[in-house]
Amino acid sequence: MTIGAVLAFDWRQGGSSSSSNASFWGLGGVNGPPAAEPSPNGGGSAGPGASSPPRDPTDANACIETGSDRPVMQGADMVEYFSLSPGAAHVVGSADITSVYNNYTFRFSTHENRRKFETNQTRYLPQWGGFCSYGISTENWWTWEQVKAAGPDGNPDVWLILNGHIYFFMYKAPRYYFELLLANSSLPESPIERGDYKWANYTKGEPLTFLNTDCFWSDEDCGMNGNSCWTDDMVV
């Protein structure tokens, strides 16, 4: 598999296929089309498996609700990511060390990290709300209503820091395909440019207003289909 190839990953088939630049965007996907209703066994679009069940599957805004009991990114310390080695697991923040931004609660592992956050809050916000960055940028079936209610799930342990911003992914395979797209200079636009455009449209020009508090995936290696797992040869 070469970086120069444009790939369309389809979790339903458990593989990838080459496609033209024009037809790549929107073909297949690692998250799969969202379910009509969140699964009571799996939570959101991810279906049965490692997804956290929504607290209220009838809530149209389940993924983005605010409250002290709904910390952003499951309470991961957003500042600490910038001190971690790539691929490291997230550091859990304390319910006793918190800060509020736009009604969203953030937790921190140290008072110093809270101080850093409050000095420059937007630097530490998860891009595209903390949802799966591959899903937001590349999977064209998502509507804003579906994102708010059901994902695409983010995973606090699968992340990338790019140009000083942090991006989350459902699991390692979509992160790998996102990196392949970043490395492909023949694309008419990068996945970051496309994701920024789509997220701004979803949020009506307020991209820092909505954050993920309830739609998460916990398996780093596999998605909703066992055939779509990350493998050791997925290295960019």
Side-chain angles (χ1 to χ4, degrees):
M1 187 179 299
T2 63
I3 293 176
V6 182
L7 302 172
F9 183 75
D10 191 337
W11 65 266
R12 289 159 292 191
Q13 302 300 322
S16 60
S17 60
S18 297
S19 66
S20 69
N21 291 352
S23 65
F24 171 74
W25 299 110
L27 279 180
V30 295
N31 296 307
E37 296 180 0
S39 165
N41 298 317
S45 67
S51 183
S52 302
R55 303 177 197 214
D56 181 1
T58 66
D59 184 356
N61 296 311
C63 295
I64 58 170
E65 293 285 11
T66 61
S68 60
D69 64 332
R70 292 173 176 264
V72 172
M73 298 310 296
Q74 290 187 313
D77 185 332
M78 295 302 301
V79 174
E80 193 64 26
Y81 281 107
F82 291 81
S83 299
L84 296 177
S85 300
H90 75 282
V91 174
V92 178
S94 168
D96 296 324
I97 309 176
T98 65
S99 185
V100 176
Y101 172 85
N102 276 356
N103 296 319
Y104 283 97
T105 297
F106 289 80
R107 293 180 180 177
F108 305 94
S109 56
T110 68
H111 291 281
E112 175 62 13
N113 280 358
R114 179 173 65 182
R115 186 197 65 77
K116 289 180 180 179
F117 177 81
E118 292 178 342
T119 299
N120 188 357
Q121 294 167 311
T122 57
R123 176 189 177 190
Y124 299 106
L125 298 182
Q127 296 298 290
W128 309 334
F131 294 97
C132 179
S133 294
Y134 182 95
I136 294 296
S137 66
T138 306
E139 295 174 346
N140 286 336
W141 52 73
W142 294 100
T143 66
W144 180 229
E145 287 70 26
Q146 290 163 337
V147 171
K148 292 189 295 181
D153 289 344
N155 187 325
D157 287 330
V158 186
W159 51 276
L160 281 176
I161 292 177
L162 300 166
N163 301 320
H165 298 292
I166 187 163
Y167 297 82
F168 289 95
F169 300 86
M170 183 179 175
Y171 62 110
K172 293 177 181 178
R175 182 179 65 188
Y176 164 73
Y177 285 103
F178 189 86
E179 290 185 279
L180 277 184
L181 292 171
L182 283 174
N184 191 333
S185 60
S186 66
L187 289 176
E189 58 185 345
S190 76
I192 291 178
E193 291 172 323
R194 184 170 177 83
D196 283 345
Y197 173 79
K198 289 176 66 180
W199 187 251
N201 278 332
Y202 282 149
T203 60
K204 300 186 186 304
E206 298 183 349
L208 305 180
T209 303
F210 302 97
L211 299 168
N212 187 359
T213 60
D214 204 29
C215 291
F216 302 107
W217 189 259
S218 61
D219 189 331
E220 292 182 52
D221 294 329
C222 296
M224 61 184 294
N225 184 322
N227 291 330
S228 66
C229 295
W230 177 84
T231 58
D232 288 339
D233 63 344
M234 291 181 171
V235 177
V236 177

